[in-house]
Amino acid sequence: MPSLRPGPLADPGRWLYELLAPAYDRVSGEAMLYATARARAIELLQLRPGATVLDVACGTGRNHEYIEQRIGPSGRLVGVDRSPRMLQQAGERAAHHRWSNMELVETDVTNLTLRLPTREAMLRRQPGSTPCSARWVSL
Ligand SMILES: C[S@@+](CC[C@H](N)C(=O)[O-])C[C@H]1O[C@@H](n2cnc3c(N)ncnc32)[C@H](O)[C@@H]1O
């Protein structure tokens, strides 16, 4: 039997973004509400070329241009969102910019299991090995 996606009443949050996705970038008030904070938040990550970034609940990928500018083609960007239509917009943005170092994953973020380096693991690092770090910002 084919699996059905949850309807609006079962999961209104998901349904809202599915509905908004095609117009999201035009109606979200980016310039007035978010652009300055978004640029600052990504600056705080101090991303370097080659860095790996996980963008949780990435939506249409509004963060991705800022991130790609910093990590460059040797970096890796993984965008996760549970709305296929928001991800479709993010995919179109990536295709437009020809970013080939990016993956988009459709899942609920509560399903993610992350293994970030602990402070202890970073302190145990062998001299001369590749430095690792993890930072996060919330948008
Ligand atoms: C307000 S939009 C923000 C999108 C993006 N972070 C930005 O700054 O433009 C919120 C996004 O979070 C996603 N979202 C909300 N809850 C989620 C969950 N539990 N798992 C994955 N995505 C989720 C929605 O589908 C939507 O695309």
Side-chain angles (χ1 to χ4, degrees):
M1 191 154 134
S3 69
L4 298 174
R5 291 195 187 282
L9 294 178
D11 194 346
R14 179 187 177 128
W15 176 79
L16 176 70
Y17 285 108
E18 284 291 275
L19 195 70
L20 281 177
Y24 184 83
D25 283 352
R26 288 194 304 279
V27 300
S28 67
E30 176 71 14
M32 195 169 63
L33 298 175
Y34 304 117
T36 305
R38 191 183 297 285
R40 177 67 182 137
I42 289 166
E43 190 183 308
L44 288 171
L45 288 170
Q46 298 182 308
L47 296 171
R48 302 231 185 283
T52 296
V53 178
L54 175 65
D55 186 5
V56 173
C58 67
T60 63
R62 280 286 199 181
N63 295 325
H64 296 171
E65 200 161 347
Y66 298 88
I67 294 168
E68 286 285 351
Q69 276 169 11
R70 285 164 178 78
I71 67 174
S74 63
R76 184 173 169 226
L77 172 55
V78 182
V80 178
D81 202 285
R82 67 177 177 175
S83 161
R85 296 181 80 193
M86 292 293 270
L87 285 176
Q88 186 184 333
Q89 301 293 317
E92 286 172 15
R93 190 187 302 280
H96 173 78
H97 289 281
R98 297 174 192 264
W99 295 321
S100 56
N101 59 345
M102 194 175 141
E103 277 168 67
L104 295 170
V105 180
E106 183 197 323
T107 190
D108 192 303
V109 297
T110 57
N111 295 329
L112 289 180
T113 313
L114 292 181
R115 290 201 308 157
L116 296 175
T118 61
R119 183 171 175 276
E120 290 68 32
M122 289 164 78
L123 292 174
R124 278 199 307 271
R125 199 165 53 81
Q126 297 298 310
S129 65
T130 308
C132 62
S133 65
R135 302 186 190 93
W136 62 273
V137 293
S138 175
L139 293 174

